[in-house]
Amino acid sequence: MIDSMYTVGELADKMKVSVRTLQYYDRQGLLKPSAYSEGGRRLYGPKDAVRLQHILSLKFIGLSLDEIKQQLSAESDAAHARQLLDRQIAITEMQIARLKEALVTLKFVAEEIGGESEIDFERVADAIFAVRTVEERDWPALDEFGSELKSHIEARAERDEQFMLRLAQRFEAVSNRMYELSQAGADPAGPEGRAAAQAMWAMIEDFTEGDMGLLPQLMEFGQSKENWPDEMRGRQEAIDDFMGRSLFSYLEEQAAELDFGQAGEDEERQDGREGAQPTSGPRKENA
């Protein structure tokens, strides 16, 4: 790669790095010059250039300088190199996943702001913090759901990349409200309890897209908490107790209103039929 000795500046220019980087590598023992000029300037040869290329390659795939130093000092073979690459591939995939999550977060917050003429950056910061709080919670893994429920979630997520984030944020908000009410000793059948139940039921209807066949698996998942993170399990048990009673009261009320409305419609139809019946009795003949 290099046919003669190079000064630190010449090698830096050749390899597209800074002089300060080469000086730092020298101090860290990563890349020592092969010789020094009479004036004490660093001089690098072809082997140094090859070693520098090796360092830059390892740095590119994400290794720290300490790891690079260990790698350079170790005897390398194909199996070791493959193991190193596999590890860095896994790390890179995790970084890509985090960047995708960050992109979804930014899009979500941008939609929340909408077309406002003036941006309140404090509100933006609060929105991002709220979303990150939801994202960083130790949610149950997708595999914990039943197969039909899992397929439904994956299909929704394919159509809307922000679906999981919206669902988690909505669930967090409704759950927080129910937890607050339960800790305050509120009546699940009272106005506040019914309002929270209405919000929960609306979320369930939106999640299932009207497919009530998903409810049994959803209920089964909610009841089976042995694989849930400890932080969520204890809190959710308190929420479930309040939610069960508030939902029962809310749905019972909805069913009663539905029955009342149906009875009114039946009565109207009956009145209509009776009004349409012909009058009985003998008909008068014209004189």
Side-chain angles (χ1 to χ4, degrees):
M1 182 180 299
I2 300 177
D3 297 327
S4 59
M5 302 298 284
Y6 283 81
T7 65
V8 64
E10 291 169 338
L11 182 61
D13 184 63
K14 187 77 174 179
M15 303 299 291
K16 308 302 180 186
V17 296
S18 69
V19 169
R20 183 171 295 181
T21 295
L22 294 180
Q23 292 171 341
Y24 181 72
Y25 287 171
D26 183 5
R27 292 195 301 271
Q28 295 298 313
L30 280 172
L31 183 65
K32 292 289 186 181
S34 294
Y36 290 88
S37 69
E38 292 181 0
R41 301 175 68 186
R42 297 176 177 86
L43 296 174
Y44 297 89
K47 289 184 178 180
D48 299 321
V50 171
R51 183 178 177 87
L52 177 57
Q53 185 63 61
H54 194 180
I55 292 169
L56 296 176
S57 298
L58 293 173
K59 189 171 183 292
F60 174 77
I61 64 173
L63 267 66
S64 67
L65 292 184
D66 287 339
E67 290 173 323
I68 291 174
K69 189 180 293 186
Q70 293 174 8
Q71 176 66 18
L72 292 173
S73 62
E75 293 185 5
S76 182
D77 55 24
H80 184 267
R82 177 67 195 190
Q83 183 181 17
L84 178 68
L85 287 172
D86 286 342
R87 190 190 69 173
Q88 291 309 122
I89 287 171
I91 292 173
T92 303
E93 287 176 341
M94 290 176 61
Q95 292 172 339
I96 290 172
R98 293 299 298 169
L99 286 173
K100 286 182 176 179
E101 289 178 3
L103 179 60
V104 170
T105 298
L106 291 172
K107 287 182 177 179
F108 181 84
V109 173
E111 288 186 7
E112 289 293 300
I113 295 172
E116 298 179 3
S117 57
E118 295 183 2
I119 297 178
D120 182 350
F121 285 98
E122 184 176 351
R123 181 186 167 198
V124 172
D126 289 344
I128 292 176
F129 177 78
V131 173
R132 297 306 301 163
T133 300
V134 169
E135 288 179 336
E136 290 168 4
R137 185 178 289 280
D138 194 8
W139 296 100
L142 188 59
D143 289 339
E144 299 296 330
F145 293 89
S147 57
E148 188 177 353
L149 204 55
K150 179 182 175 182
S151 298
H152 176 77
I153 293 172
E154 290 174 337
R156 290 289 304 271
E158 283 185 11
R159 300 199 307 269
D160 177 9
E161 64 178 4
Q162 297 179 24
F163 167 70
M164 292 297 291
L165 178 57
R166 294 182 193 280
L167 176 64
Q169 191 175 43
R170 196 172 177 183
F171 178 80
E172 180 89 350
V174 176
S175 296
N176 285 344
R177 180 56 177 159
M178 289 201 168
Y179 185 72
E180 290 171 0
L181 292 174
S182 70
Q183 298 305 296
D187 181 7
E192 291 180 317
R194 287 199 306 273
Q198 183 178 10
M200 177 64 76
W201 187 248
M203 184 186 70
I204 291 172
E205 288 185 315
D206 179 62
F207 169 75
T208 61
E209 295 185 310
D211 183 3
M212 293 296 106
L214 294 172
L215 273 180
Q217 284 195 35
L218 200 58
M219 293 173 64
E220 181 181 353
F221 170 75
Q223 292 169 356
S224 178
K225 297 184 180 66
E226 60 270 12
N227 293 324
W228 282 42
D230 292 339
E231 178 190 354
M232 288 189 67
R233 184 169 55 245
R235 183 173 181 275
Q236 191 62 39
E237 286 173 353
I239 293 170
D240 287 349
D241 178 63
F242 186 89
M243 179 174 62
R245 289 182 289 159
S246 63
L247 274 175
F248 178 81
S249 175
Y250 171 74
L251 293 175
E252 188 176 47
E253 182 182 82
Q254 293 300 301
E257 291 180 0
L258 183 64
D259 289 342
F260 180 79
Q262 184 66 46
E265 291 178 5
D266 291 344
E267 186 175 346
E268 288 180 3
R269 283 196 293 270
Q270 180 65 28
D271 290 343
R273 283 195 298 269
E274 289 177 356
Q277 289 178 358
T279 304
S280 60
R283 296 174 60 186
K284 294 183 179 179
E285 295 182 359
N286 293 331

